[in-house]
Amino acid sequence: MPRFLLLPPLALLAACIASASAEELEHDVITLNSGERLVGELVDVRDGRYWMLLTDGRMVSAEFRSATRVEMAGASVQPIAISDLPLPDWDNYDGPADTKRPIAGGFDFGLNQAARIRFRTNSPAVAHIDLKAGGSLVFGSGVGPALLTGVDVAFFHDAPVHLTLSAVLGPAIIWGSLYPFVGAGTGLQIDPKGPVEVHIGLTAGTTFSYFAVSPDLSLSWVW
């Protein structure tokens, strides 16, 4: 969370402490709606919560709206209504906006050696569409290299694992002869945060003489 969001609640707490009448306390105390009292040291105010280190060494937190009174060691602080705090809607706050570029490029390494251009979308269903071109292995009546171009469509925008559908075409060499290969496939794209991702899938198609498949097990670097 951006640091500047911490300043308003901390400033309000400091102002209340400065204006409150002196009442010496050995520890900070937060009284909750349930009547429970948290006693210790108030160490932070963030994410819409008070964070307190209790006297027994445990770290706990309480939502602003769950506290009826906050008392600081050395002063008495009157309760602050959540509506008085200039905070965002914490329940709907999703953190910083996505800073990924709408168009990116990258490379695949593995059974497929390819370059790809990625077009990211704002759709909740489709995460991105990739154009790719490179070398693959095609298994038909024999095994041979192929130079394939194609497109990948990755679904489930916010998921760390995407279902992908693909279509490819290009020349393949099997048993020393050149065949055109056309295929379609599906797979999974494991896409954790960062530029590295893993592709697992299978493309099935035809060389117009044989049925053939092209497996995909590759590591990608997309930035």
Side-chain angles (χ1 to χ4, degrees):
M1 182 185 71
R3 291 292 181 186
F4 71 87
L5 292 180
L6 302 181
L7 298 179
L10 288 175
L12 283 174
L13 284 177
C16 290
I17 293 171
S19 62
S21 60
E23 179 184 332
E24 293 297 331
L25 295 175
E26 185 178 354
H27 301 288
D28 303 331
V29 180
I30 296 178
T31 303
L32 304 180
N33 295 330
S34 63
E36 180 185 0
R37 300 173 76 243
L38 305 178
V39 181
E41 179 185 358
L42 182 60
V43 296
D44 203 355
V45 180
R46 60 183 172 86
D47 300 339
R49 308 179 74 90
Y50 299 108
W51 295 80
M52 175 169 273
L53 179 64
L54 300 183
T55 54
D56 61 6
R58 292 183 297 121
M59 178 68 76
V60 298
S61 67
E63 290 186 346
F64 288 160
R65 55 177 60 89
S66 70
T68 59
R69 185 178 178 84
V70 179
E71 300 170 276
M72 305 295 289
S76 176
V77 180
Q78 298 303 316
I80 301 173
I82 187 65
S83 59
D84 295 334
L85 293 174
L87 300 174
D89 186 348
W90 297 102
D91 291 336
N92 297 324
Y93 181 66
D94 294 323
D98 189 354
T99 56
K100 292 182 178 179
R101 294 183 300 170
I103 301 178
F107 297 93
D108 297 352
F109 307 92
L111 292 181
N112 291 340
Q113 304 283 335
R116 65 175 62 230
I117 299 176
R118 173 161 299 173
F119 300 90
R120 296 188 173 101
T121 77
N122 294 322
S123 167
V126 177
H128 49 258
I129 299 172
D130 293 359
L131 301 180
K132 62 181 182 179
S136 303
L137 288 177
V138 171
F139 296 78
S141 61
V143 180
L147 183 61
L148 302 178
T149 60
V151 59
D152 287 349
V153 180
F155 297 91
F156 312 132
H157 187 279
D158 294 326
V161 178
H162 303 294
L163 170 68
T164 61
L165 297 179
S166 61
V168 297
L169 60 89
I173 299 177
I174 300 178
W175 296 115
S177 298
L178 185 65
Y179 295 91
F181 176 74
V182 177
T186 186
L188 294 176
Q189 181 186 108
I190 303 171
D191 185 15
K193 292 183 178 180
V196 178
E197 58 192 38
V198 176
H199 296 264
I200 303 172
L202 182 69
T203 298
T206 178
T207 63
F208 296 95
S209 295
Y210 307 99
F211 173 78
V213 296
S214 176
D216 182 10
L217 179 58
S218 59
L219 183 70
S220 293
W221 184 276
V222 179
W223 67 95

